[in-house]
Amino acid sequence: MCHVPSVHRTLGLSLAVLCAPLAADTAPDEGVQLGPITVTATRTEQALEDVPESASVVDRTRIEQRQPQNIGDVLNDLPNVDIGGGPRGIGQTVSIRGLSDDRILFQLDGARQNYRRAHDARVFVEPELLRRVEVIRGPASALWGSGAIGGVVAFETLDAADLLAPGQTLGGRVKTGYQDVNSQWLGAAAVYGRVNDQLDFLVDIAYRDAGDTRQGDGNDLENSGYERTTGLLKGTWSMDGINFFGGSYLGLREDGEVPSNPQTLTMDSNLVNRMTRQDNATLRFHHDNPDSPYWSPSLVFYRNQTQIDEDRKIDG
């Protein structure tokens, strides 16, 4: 047996100051007004149609309709966004207008995801825990620094506010699902609430158990099954409704018997028992004073760690 560990850690700090655009005077409209879709990947919240860059937003409604099992399922129908690396989620790659790898910046709740290893996906996220995904196509290094020459993919996880009904202070949900293309079972459970309009919290757990994927020709893709467990702990506290402090932890563990290069066809001498573990922790501060709409600073501290353990089944 051959044991090959791989660990990638990232410590970071992200600081942003949001300057809201001037609001134009508008006359009352008797028609139905829909809430604007805003884009935060540009560092300034604004209506999607007002963003000068080419941008797309996948919101929670879209995610629930599609029932994706990996990131490729979330992004694969966006214009100028291609998913490569095959159907195994751990090997899928994202390219924007032909640029991929370290030319695209990935973010998770404002924290950069800098993991990069040959033949692996750049980021591992459970779609069941996402509230929205924003994609900026084209150079964005001026805003986000190195790694964003091809674009930005920003993931945001669920908040308690996304699940609480109006006037509700405590809730929970239990979800299960099955798909026969890979005999996959999904189980998810969450508890969430709000206390005195000052504190909100969310505890969410999702579990998937999948077998080999049946391909379009009717044959199974060998060694494409996996078992994945993901947990999300998240909370926000504000004493005055102006200064907000938040924290979150997102942990993922996925186990499976796969080729050491998950983007290739299975070879008996190349199989490994692989454990992928990713831990993301963030601390946030955000100032939002209605009396000072042009001054809205935010601060994010984060620590990421991705660990890959592989035990080769047959030494080659």
Side-chain angles (χ1 to χ4, degrees):
M1 299 289 287
C2 178
H3 180 70
V4 182
S6 176
V7 180
H8 181 94
R9 295 184 177 89
T10 300
L11 292 174
L13 165 65
S14 175
L15 174 64
V17 178
L18 304 181
C19 296
L22 291 173
D25 293 333
T26 57
D29 190 345
E30 296 180 357
V32 176
Q33 296 294 318
L34 300 178
I37 298 176
T38 61
V39 173
T40 58
T42 57
R43 287 189 183 266
T44 303
E45 293 188 358
Q46 49 189 307
L48 184 60
E49 61 268 18
D50 294 334
V51 177
E53 295 88 353
S54 176
S56 296
V57 175
V58 181
D59 59 17
R60 181 63 184 174
T61 300
R62 184 78 170 274
I63 293 173
E64 291 178 337
Q65 289 174 344
R66 296 198 59 134
Q67 297 291 306
Q69 63 174 323
N70 52 49
I71 295 305
D73 292 342
V74 177
L75 303 176
N76 64 4
D77 66 343
L78 297 181
N80 302 127
V81 178
D82 296 313
I83 307 300
R88 295 185 182 93
I90 59 172
Q92 287 184 339
T93 59
V94 179
S95 64
I96 299 177
R97 294 177 176 173
L99 298 176
S100 59
D101 295 329
D102 56 359
R103 295 175 178 85
I104 298 177
L105 172 63
F106 292 89
Q107 284 197 326
L108 180 58
D109 286 338
R112 292 177 65 111
Q113 303 295 298
N114 294 327
Y115 173 75
R116 185 162 64 94
R117 181 174 181 258
H119 312 301
D120 281 357
R122 289 282 310 280
V123 61
F124 307 94
V125 181
E126 168 55 58
E128 183 64 27
L129 304 183
L130 294 177
R131 66 183 294 264
R132 64 190 282 133
V133 183
E134 300 179 359
V135 178
I136 302 298
R137 294 179 287 274
S141 297
L143 286 175
W144 295 104
S146 63
I149 189 172
V152 178
V153 181
F155 302 95
E156 296 181 22
T157 57
L158 287 167
D159 292 317
D162 299 314
L163 302 174
L164 287 169
Q168 185 182 18
T169 58
L170 182 64
R173 67 169 185 167
V174 176
K175 177 180 179 180
T176 187
Y178 175 80
Q179 62 180 29
D180 63 359
V181 71
N182 57 355
S183 302
Q184 179 186 141
W185 283 99
L186 164 68
V191 177
Y192 43 87
R194 181 182 294 115
V195 181
N196 297 328
D197 291 328
Q198 293 182 335
L199 171 69
D200 64 62
F201 63 90
L202 169 67
V203 180
D204 204 335
I205 298 175
Y207 171 79
R208 294 181 187 266
D209 187 2
D212 291 342
T213 299
R214 186 171 64 253
Q215 303 177 93
D217 60 5
N219 297 318
D220 290 343
L221 178 64
E222 295 182 0
N223 302 104
S224 57
Y226 62 89
E227 184 178 8
R228 181 198 304 160
T229 304
T230 311
L232 172 65
L233 304 175
K234 199 171 186 180
T236 303
W237 174 75
S238 175
M239 179 181 295
D240 53 11
I242 296 176
N243 297 294
F244 298 86
F245 300 87
S248 66
Y249 167 77
L250 178 63
L252 176 147
R253 174 165 179 163
E254 182 172 321
D255 299 280
E257 184 180 285
V258 298
S260 60
N261 177 358
Q263 299 177 350
T264 65
L265 296 177
T266 300
M267 294 182 294
D268 290 341
S269 61
N270 198 35
L271 288 179
V272 297
N273 290 317
R274 170 172 169 150
M275 187 276 286
T276 302
R277 180 170 181 175
Q278 189 171 64
D279 299 283
N280 294 273
T282 63
L283 293 174
R284 305 180 200 80
F285 166 77
H286 176 60
H287 176 83
D288 186 9
N289 187 350
D291 296 330
S292 302
Y294 312 116
W295 172 248
S296 183
S298 63
L299 187 67
V300 179
F301 293 93
Y302 60 88
R303 181 181 187 273
N304 303 329
Q305 176 175 293
T306 302
Q307 177 175 333
I308 308 292
D309 290 319
E310 295 180 350
D311 292 321
R312 192 177 301 276
K313 295 194 64 178
I314 301 176
D315 292 334

